[in-house]
Amino acid sequence: MGAFDEDGQTHAAARGDECAQLALALFYLNKARGAQNVMQSIHLTQLAGTFAMLAAAQGTVPAVRIYAFALRARIACGHLTEKSTADLTALAATLDAAIEGKSEEDRVEVQI
Amino acid sequence: MSAVPNAAGPAILEDDEPVLELAARGDRAAQSLMMDHSIACANAGHIPLSVALGAAEVFARMAVYDGAAVNRRRLAGVLLWQAENLWNCGYYERSRIYQLEAIGIVNALADAGDERAAALLSQYAHAFSPDILKLAAELARGGEDAPDADPRPLGAH
């Protein structure tokens, strides 16, 4: 039993897999959006923020770097509010595209 | 969802950018250093505890893949700290899960002959309810019929 229910991607992230790090950031961001209370969302966004920080630090794929920084900025500003829910949904979609295609830089439409 | 106060990002953890980049690229020593830095931030109170512990947890979980017992002990420690923080914030269910995982790690180490883990478990057993210790031990062995644990906070007697 583990508290870190992310389907085994941590090992890949630990080996330096940038996409695994970003995928984990997304995973925890999505969980945070469905959080039952503020404390739960804080906890989950910290996990998301740390993985986004790792993906951004590598930055081998420009689009991934931009998305990761956008994600981190949003978390850092505490903008996980009702207002930003729609933006986060859009961000999640662009992050997904970044993970899939790794060349979706021009699809960044999220306002930080 | 309501606003998230105190959700400052882990920017302070990026002070040492070269180490962070090495950690991101899979360098075990750098990941360990980042865990140390996160724990130091948590101790110093430079950033919100939840932020520092979130980073410490991620780096501690990454560090255990080198297989060293010391890193597994350190992960257990970070998880217990996280459990206490979650409990103090009223996040009881999640706190219990963290407690169980931490105790399970220490139990597994002790069962494998790690004397330091066994000593720590013995020394601090009083801090946990007998039920949660029993449950953690069963879970560590992969048991499927484990009973519900008493979700008492750390330090409760």
Side-chain angles (χ1 to χ4, degrees), chain B residues 44-62:
Chain B
H46 291 151
I47 55 178
L49 185 59
S50 298
V51 175
L53 286 180
E57 180 185 341
V58 167
F59 287 114
R61 289 187 184 280
M62 293 170 99

Side-chain angles (χ1 to χ4, degrees), chain A residues 21-44:
Chain A
Q21 292 162 1
L22 203 50
L24 284 165
L26 254 185
F27 176 83
Y28 284 106
L29 180 64
N30 284 329
K31 285 179 77 76
R33 288 177 54 217
Q36 304 280 321
N37 56 55
V38 171
M39 185 57 214
Q40 186 179 18
S41 66
I42 289 174
H43 174 231
L44 293 167

Side-chain angles (χ1 to χ4, degrees), chain A residues 3-4 11 13-16 21 32-33 38-43 46 50 53-54 57-58 72 75-76 80 82, chain B residues 1-2 4-5 7-9 14 21 24-26 28 31 50-51 55 57 61-62 65 89 91 94 98 101 139:
Chain A
F4 217 51
H11 197 180
R15 288 195 304 266
Q21 292 162 1
R33 288 177 54 217
V38 171
M39 185 57 214
Q40 186 179 18
S41 66
I42 289 174
H43 174 231
Q46 296 323 317
T50 304
M53 176 176 76
L54 289 169
Q58 295 205 67
R72 274 198 44 244
I75 292 169
L80 292 176
E82 298 89 340
Chain B
M1 184 166 54
S2 56
V4 181
E14 297 173 73
E21 188 174 335
R25 293 188 189 285
R28 300 283 193 229
Q31 289 169 3
S50 298
V51 175
E57 180 185 341
R61 289 187 184 280
M62 293 170 99
Y65 288 109
C89 295
Y91 194 3
R94 199 69 178 162
Y98 272 78
E101 186 180 1
L139 289 170

Side-chain angles (χ1 to χ4, degrees), chain A residues 6 15 32 41 44 53 67 71-72 76 90 92-93 102 108-109:
Chain A
E6 38 63 17
R15 288 195 304 266
S41 66
L44 293 167
M53 176 176 76
Y67 296 140
L71 175 60
R72 274 198 44 244
K102 295 193 173 189
V108 176
E109 296 173 355

Side-chain angles (χ1 to χ4, degrees), chain B residues 69 72 104-118:
Chain B
R72 292 186 64 77
I105 290 169
V106 180
N107 265 334
L109 283 167
D111 287 348
D114 185 310
E115 291 181 2
R116 293 192 68 179

Side-chain angles (χ1 to χ4, degrees), chain A residues 93-105:
Chain A
T94 50
L95 281 163
D96 279 336
I99 292 168
E100 288 297 321
K102 295 193 173 189
S103 61
E104 303 290 337
E105 194 167 352

